[in-house]
Amino acid sequence: MSRKKKEIPPTKEHFVGVRITDEMWNVLEKNAVLAGISPSEYIRRLILNQKIVLKPELVFDSAELLDVFRNLGKIGGNLNQIARHLNEGGTFTKEMAIEISECITQLHQMRDTVKEMAGEYRGDC
């Protein structure tokens, strides 16, 4: 069974040059970047009344949050070592059960910390 041929979009036969203010350009450029498309494509979609999804960039620079992510990586490493051991036919020991329990407790604490930080960032607290 042959593959369906790609549909070629129609060629753009007309050029429209429009002068806009710096303020209008800044809005256009910002919205196009947030949507992940070019300013020209953004205008085309506006003309065709297509839905444009803006994807705001969330920047949260916090040493405390970076520390939480570092600890998540360490916990993930511990859990991967345990999983590898068990997948290779190793026995499940009491020490492993304790380690897993500690990892789960730490994950719950980190989840609560991130929730608090997100609330502070959004102004919920």
Side-chain angles (χ1 to χ4, degrees), residues 58-71 110 113-122:
L58 181 62
V59 178
F60 187 75
D61 187 20
S62 165
E64 188 178 359
L65 186 61
L66 291 174
D67 189 45
V68 169
F69 287 133
R70 265 189 232 99
N71 288 332
M110 285 184 222
T113 300
V114 170
K115 279 184 180 178
E116 287 176 26
M117 293 171 71
E120 289 172 10
Y121 180 72
R122 293 182 179 191

Side-chain angles (χ1 to χ4, degrees), residues 67-99:
D67 189 45
V68 169
F69 287 133
R70 265 189 232 99
N71 288 332
L72 281 172
K74 292 176 185 176
I75 291 170
N78 290 347
L79 291 174
N80 282 335
Q81 288 176 1
I82 292 169
R84 186 179 315 123
H85 172 76
L86 294 174
N87 287 332
E88 291 174 350
T91 58
F92 188 73
T93 64
K94 185 177 181 179
E95 290 81 21
M96 278 190 240
I98 292 170
E99 180 70 23

Side-chain angles (χ1 to χ4, degrees), residues 1 95 125:
M1 180 176 197
E95 290 81 21
C125 294

